[in-house]
Amino acid sequence: MPHEDRDRAAEAQVLLSNERTFLSWIRTALALMVTGVALVAFDLPIDIGWRLAAAGVLLLLAIANAAQALVSWRVNDRALRNGEEIPELRSGLWIAAGVGGAVMLLLVGWVLT
């Protein structure tokens, strides 16, 4: 395989990897959304107010996560095409903190119910 063809194949592989990462973040957003809806839809042994609060946190995280996925994909795509450094991703911390906060709301609601 000529050198130019290998470079083009490597570039395509990196661009497709960026797209797969985008789709993974979208799946994460969908999982957060579905979990938030399930907290309200199912009759759990936790007061509805606590479940609504946790569901609200998860739904806000889902929206933020989907927006971050789109922005990161576009920024990374532009950087890859221009041979620039890919910016560091910082969203993992706030997603973990938000999920932890939603779990804490559910635990407090469960203890108080």
Side-chain angles (χ1 to χ4, degrees), residues 18 43 53 57 65 68 77-78 84 93-95 97 103 105 108-109:
N18 184 42
D43 187 23
V57 169
N65 191 55
Q68 172 271 317
D77 187 66
R78 188 177 312 116
E84 301 168 352
L93 179 61
W94 55 263
I95 291 172
V103 169
L105 286 169
V108 169

Side-chain angles (χ1 to χ4, degrees), residues 34-99:
V34 167
T35 304
V37 169
L39 287 175
V40 177
F42 294 114
D43 187 23
L44 302 173
I46 300 170
D47 184 67
I48 187 67
W50 293 100
R51 289 188 286 142
L52 282 170
V57 169
L58 293 174
L59 291 175
L60 288 174
L61 278 174
I63 293 167
N65 191 55
Q68 172 271 317
L70 179 60
V71 170
S72 289
W73 172 65
R74 293 190 67 178
V75 167
N76 291 344
D77 187 66
R78 188 177 312 116
L80 290 167
R81 290 178 189 277
N82 295 329
E84 301 168 352
E85 291 274 330
I86 295 175
E88 185 177 323
L89 183 64
R90 297 188 179 123
S91 60
L93 179 61
W94 55 263
I95 291 172
V99 170

